[in-house]
Amino acid sequence: MTSVFDLAPQAPVVPVVVIEDAADAVPLARALVAGGLPLIEITLRTPAALDAVRAVAAEVPEAVVGAGTVVTAEAVAAAAGAGARFLVSPGWTERLLGALGDSGVPFLPGVSTASEVVALLERGVEAMKFFPAEAAGGVPYLKSLAGPLPGARFCPTGGISAGSAPAYLSLPNVPCVGGTWMLPPDALAARDWPRVEALAREASGLRGAVATRG
Ligand SMILES: O=C(O)C(=O)C[C@H](O)[C@H](O)COP(=O)(O)O
C-alpha cells in the first residue's frame, strides 16, 4: 500500500486543522496549498470535520486531504467515505489497526514508545505518527530509535513549532512533521487566509533550511 509519506513527499509539514465551520475549509485549504503545504490533516474533533474533508476533497484538487483523530473503526469508515486520502490516529489498538488496514487508505497510527514501534513493524506497518512528540521525548527520543529500529519512519506531531521543526526534519527517520503553528486561532477566527498562506510558506521552506544548514 502507498505510504502517507509518498503522497506529497515535497511537503515537509502537515498542517493539523481543527475546523469549526465547514464553510472555512475550502479557502483554508487553498491558502495552505498556495503556501506549499498540500498535505492537510483535518481532525475529527468537531462536528464540521467530515463536511470539511468532503468539501476539500471535492473542491481543492491540489490538496491531499486526510482525517486526523481517527480513533475508532467507525471513524475510519466515515473519513474514508468522506474522501479522506490518508488517516491519522494519536494511538492504535488491534481493532483500529485492522480497520485502517482494511480501508485501503494510507494511514499513520500514533506511537510513543519503542515497544509500540516494534509491534507495528511486526505487523508490517513502517509509517507512524510520533505523538505527543515534544512531551514523549522529542528529537533525542527519535534519534535514539533510529539505530535499533531503522525501518520505522515518523511524522512527529504535538507541541512542534516553526522553531523546533527543523531539528526533527534533520533526522533520517523523519520525512515530515505535523503541527498547528501555521494556523493561529486568531487568524482562523478572522478568516485571515493571506496570513495562513504566509505562515504555510514559511513552514514549507523549513526542509530547505535544514538542507542548507547541512
Ligand atoms: O487530534 C489528534 O489526533 C492529535 O493527535 C493531536 C494533534 O496532532 C495535535 O493537537 C497537534 O497540535 P499541536 O500540538 O498544536 O501541534
Side-chain angles (χ1 to χ4, degrees):
M1 190 197 287
T2 310
S3 162
V4 173
F5 299 136
D6 297 329
L7 293 176
Q10 76 282 10
V13 175
V14 182
V16 179
V17 179
V18 179
I19 197 137
E20 300 297 340
D21 183 349
D24 291 340
V26 165
L28 173 57
R30 288 196 177 123
L32 292 169
V33 169
L37 300 181
L39 213 55
I40 301 170
E41 174 184 336
I42 297 179
T43 62
L44 302 186
R45 294 202 212 173
T46 60
L50 286 174
D51 281 341
V53 170
R54 222 171 268 122
V56 176
E59 295 177 47
V60 193
E62 313 84 358
V64 180
V65 66
T69 330
V70 178
V71 293
T72 63
E74 293 72 19
V76 170
R85 292 175 54 194
F86 64 97
L87 305 170
V88 186
S89 174
W92 63 281
T93 64
E94 293 294 349
R95 179 170 184 256
L96 181 60
L97 204 62
L100 288 166
D102 290 347
S103 73
V105 179
F107 60 89
L108 289 177
V111 295
S112 62
T113 66
S115 293
E116 287 179 285
V117 177
V118 172
L120 286 182
L121 289 173
E122 199 174 74
R123 289 158 177 78
V125 177
E126 297 181 344
M128 311 172 194
K129 167 173 175 164
F130 179 59
F131 177 81
E134 286 285 287
V139 169
Y141 196 96
L142 287 173
K143 204 181 266 182
S144 305
L145 292 182
L149 301 166
R153 292 190 299 157
F154 304 93
C155 179
T157 309
I160 298 178
S161 65
S164 60
Y168 283 97
L169 291 168
S170 71
L171 300 176
N173 52 356
V174 174
C176 60
V177 304
T180 59
W181 75 86
M182 73 303 295
L183 301 161
D186 59 330
L188 298 188
R191 297 182 166 79
D192 187 348
W193 311 130
R195 182 157 166 236
V196 169
E197 181 181 331
L199 288 167
R201 185 162 294 116
E202 203 177 279
S204 69
L206 288 176
R207 189 183 330 271
V210 172
T212 23
R213 243 192 11 231

